[in-house]
């Protein structure tokens, strides 16, 4: 079981690192916004897996709140991209 | 025997989900413009994250017994990952277009490029 969990965490960490590389090399702001979103999901996934390793029931609170509220950053970024216009 | 089945199922869901997230991260590297990067994000949120939550729910309820509150929360998480992130990606895609990010010339159909008829 722990092999599965740490294997998943390793895959997600690689995805997050790739995202970080892309944030630095992204040509325009829109790409950085998208990659920021991807790194956010990798972080949520890593948290879910590590909380599963330590058998804490907070996994599902974090997952639902992260899924519901975490996307506000994307909405804010898209509003920044269009300089405040709708 | 049941242990093995649950273990394999959780493993397939967890590794598969994180492999999907990694795949969409790799695909973002190859994407040519911002709009297709927004488009490529959808496998990560549509398939990757829900299967991670499913794996966590399966493992937790196998260890600690089925609990309706936990099941409800993971259902909310799965639906939110699929629905809410798609709405946000649409918003981001629209903002990307309106902010004038360069679009791949091979984009077809591109109704926004033409004058509104």
């Amino acid at each position: 079981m722990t092999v599965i969990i740490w294997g998943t965490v390793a895959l997600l960490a690689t995805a997050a690192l790739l995202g970080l590389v892309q944030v630095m090399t992204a040509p325009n702001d829109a790409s950085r916004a998208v990659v920021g979103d991807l790194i956010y999901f990798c972080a949520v996934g890593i948290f879910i897996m590590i909380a599963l390793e330590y058998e804490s029931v907070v996994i599902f609170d974090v997952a639902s709140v992260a899924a519901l509220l975490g996307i506000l950053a994307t909405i804010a970024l898209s509003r920044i991209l269009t300089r405040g216009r709708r | 025997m049941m242990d093995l089945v649950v273990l394999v199922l959780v493993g397939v869901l967890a590794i598969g989900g994180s492999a999907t997230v990694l795949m969409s991260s790799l695909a973002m590297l190859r994407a040519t413009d911002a709009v297709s990067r927004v488009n490529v994000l959808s496998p990560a949120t549509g398939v990757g994250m829900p299967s991670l939550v499913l794996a966590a729910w399966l493992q937790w309820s196998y260890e600690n017994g089925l609990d309706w509150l936990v099941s409800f929360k993971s259902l909310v998480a799965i639906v939110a990952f699929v629905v809410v992130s798609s709405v946000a990606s649409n918003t981001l895609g629209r903002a990307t277009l309106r902010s004038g990010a360069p679009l791949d010339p091979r984009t077809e159909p591109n109704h926004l490029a033409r004058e509104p008829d």
Side-chain angles (χ1 to χ4, degrees), chain B residues 1-7 62:
Chain B
M1 179 53 197
M2 191 53 189
D3 280 354
L4 188 63
V5 168
V6 168
L7 188 69
Y62 180 67

Side-chain angles (χ1 to χ4, degrees), chain B residues 8-33:
Chain B
V8 165
L9 212 55
V10 167
V12 164
L13 281 172
I15 302 278
S18 53
T20 309
V21 175
L22 181 61
M23 178 195 72
S24 73
S25 179
L26 281 170
M28 269 193 194
L29 266 173
R30 288 171 49 86
T32 50
D33 60 353

Side-chain angles (χ1 to χ4, degrees), chain B residues 18-94:
Chain B
S18 53
T20 309
V21 175
L22 181 61
M23 178 195 72
S24 73
S25 179
L26 281 170
M28 269 193 194
L29 266 173
R30 288 171 49 86
T32 50
D33 60 353
V35 175
S36 54
R37 278 197 187 98
V38 174
N39 189 16
V40 156
L41 182 64
S42 56
T45 56
V47 172
M49 297 310 291
S51 64
L52 276 179
V53 173
L54 216 58
W57 173 76
L58 194 64
Q59 173 66 14
W60 197 83
S61 53
Y62 180 67
E63 297 283 336
N64 308 77
L66 210 57
D67 175 351
W68 71 273
L69 191 59
V70 164
S71 311
F72 175 68
K73 283 179 194 165
S74 48
L75 190 68
V76 163
I78 288 174
V79 168
F81 273 130
V82 174
V83 171
V84 171
S85 56
S86 316
V87 168
S89 298
N90 283 342
T91 316
L92 195 54
R94 185 173 178 280

Side-chain angles (χ1 to χ4, degrees), chain A:
Chain A
M1 190 58 214
T2 51
V3 171
I4 291 173
I5 286 177
W6 295 112
T8 311
V9 167
L11 280 174
L12 287 170
T14 324
L17 277 179
L18 271 175
L20 280 179
V21 163
Q22 282 172 53
V23 165
M24 281 178 287
T25 60
N28 47 30
D29 289 343
S31 310
R32 284 192 198 99
V34 180
V35 177
D37 210 12
L38 177 81
I39 296 173
Y40 167 74
F41 283 119
C42 290
V44 170
I46 287 174
F47 180 86
I48 288 175
M49 278 301 135
I50 291 182
L52 185 61
E53 165 75 12
Y54 295 113
E55 290 290 330
S56 73
V57 83
V58 82
I59 308 169
F60 303 101
D61 303 319
V62 166
S64 46
V65 168
L68 281 170
L69 297 183
I71 312 301
L72 294 182
T74 314
I75 307 280
L77 280 168
S78 52
R79 184 56 66 91
I80 291 169
L81 278 179
T82 56
R83 299 294 176 268
R85 287 191 314 278
R86 182 163 298 281

